[in-house]
Amino acid sequence: MLSDRQRGTLYIGVTSDLLNRIAQHREGVFEGFSKHYSLRRLVWYETHDLMTEAIQCERTLKHWVRDWKINLIERDNPCWNDLYEGIASWTPVPRQV
């Protein structure tokens, strides 16, 4: 989920390439809702093994009332920090054998 500020406008989307897609939102590459409302702060995300699961989750979340979405964000990210920098700089640790 993207937002412009704490408890601000929310955008829910799905992608197979989170880092690239968030970068596109931040740069305003595409016209649309997120560009119009300057939604650049990644406030919540989850990963799925299958795209069909991700799409179903997106559809479900889009039907939730706003308070439920806010509770979901604040459960994991109570200060509404931008999570993009944390995942953009994340380096996988090689598996120890």
Side-chain angles (χ1 to χ4, degrees):
M1 274 189 259
L2 297 177
S3 185
D4 55 340
R5 65 188 189 288
Q6 189 168 3
R7 293 182 170 247
T9 303
L10 296 173
Y11 169 83
I12 298 172
V14 65
T15 182
S16 61
D17 185 356
L18 182 62
L19 290 175
N20 186 46
R21 189 67 182 115
I22 298 304
Q24 291 170 340
H25 280 291
R26 293 167 78 96
E27 295 166 11
V29 173
F30 302 110
E31 295 298 323
F33 185 85
S34 63
K35 183 176 180 178
H36 179 79
Y37 290 99
S38 300
L39 306 177
R40 295 184 175 92
R41 184 189 299 193
L42 177 65
V43 294
W44 185 86
Y45 71 95
E46 67 181 12
T47 60
H48 295 271
D49 292 330
L50 300 173
M51 183 54 79
T52 53
E53 293 172 356
I55 292 168
Q56 183 58 51
C57 180
E58 174 198 29
R59 288 179 179 161
T60 299
L61 289 172
K62 284 185 174 184
H63 286 96
W64 280 16
V65 296
R66 179 175 170 79
D67 284 345
W68 296 356
K69 296 171 193 173
I70 289 172
N71 288 339
L72 179 64
I73 294 165
E74 292 182 347
R75 179 194 71 189
D76 298 330
N77 186 6
C79 296
W80 291 61
N81 295 323
D82 188 353
L83 305 174
Y84 177 77
E85 297 303 325
I87 61 173
S89 63
W90 179 78
T91 305
V93 177
R95 187 173 177 189
Q96 301 294 320
V97 219

